[in-house]
Amino acid sequence: MTHGNFRSQKIKAENRTVEERIRASFARQGAMEMLGAELTRISHKLVEIELPFHQKLTQQHGFLHAGVISAALDTACSYAAYTVLEPDASLLTIEFKVNMMSPGRGERFLFRGEITKPGSTIIVADGRGYAIGDGPAKLIASMTSTLMVIRGRQDIRE
């Protein structure tokens, strides 16, 4: 086995471990379960969550509620940050800003979180929310999220 193949196998094993950790953590999120959200993509610095339309998730005009959009974007950004985090650390969101760009109208919704700036104490992520229907996906919201890395706290785990 060449050094390159060994390194490639090591990276694949680490990625599986990161994915397993994220999937286990996501499964413990009661809020995402309540919304019917599904973790659909995990890669280095990027996570996607999908959500089907449901009337119970709407506001008074029948659009996906801004709070639901914000929660899904926050979760996607947080798990994207977990892809660059060491295994013994965790995260808490300390700030985010959401811009609603178009009504949340579609059959499904895709929420993508991507790391903008990894760091040892603070991580910055950007999120985008899309409505999926008959035509092309439509951008409905964007988020900038700041996350604080937590170490050595027994009461906070991934």
Side-chain angles (χ1 to χ4, degrees), residues 132-146:
I132 301 168
D134 292 338
K138 183 173 186 174
L139 181 64
I140 60 169
S142 69
M143 172 182 278
T144 297
S145 174
T146 307

Side-chain angles (χ1 to χ4, degrees), residues 1-41:
M1 179 185 302
T2 66
H3 178 68
N5 286 341
F6 176 75
R7 179 165 165 66
S8 176
Q9 287 181 346
K10 182 179 178 189
I11 290 170
K12 286 179 184 175
E14 288 172 359
N15 287 343
R16 274 195 306 273
T17 303
V18 168
E19 182 172 342
E20 290 167 2
R21 179 181 182 209
I22 289 170
R23 288 196 183 282
S25 177
F26 187 83
R28 292 192 305 271
Q29 284 221 2
M32 290 297 107
E33 180 182 2
M34 180 187 68
L35 296 176
E38 179 185 356
L39 195 53
T40 55
R41 182 175 173 196

Side-chain angles (χ1 to χ4, degrees), residues 95-106:
E95 176 184 44
F96 64 71
K97 180 184 184 329
V98 179
N99 289 305
M100 299 300 166
M101 301 173 151
S102 185
R105 186 180 357 207

Side-chain angles (χ1 to χ4, degrees), residues 55-71:
Q55 184 63 33
K56 289 183 178 181
L57 304 178
T58 63
Q59 41 82 294
Q60 70 276 15
H61 302 297
F63 304 134
L64 192 64
H65 195 283
V68 172
I69 293 169
S70 298

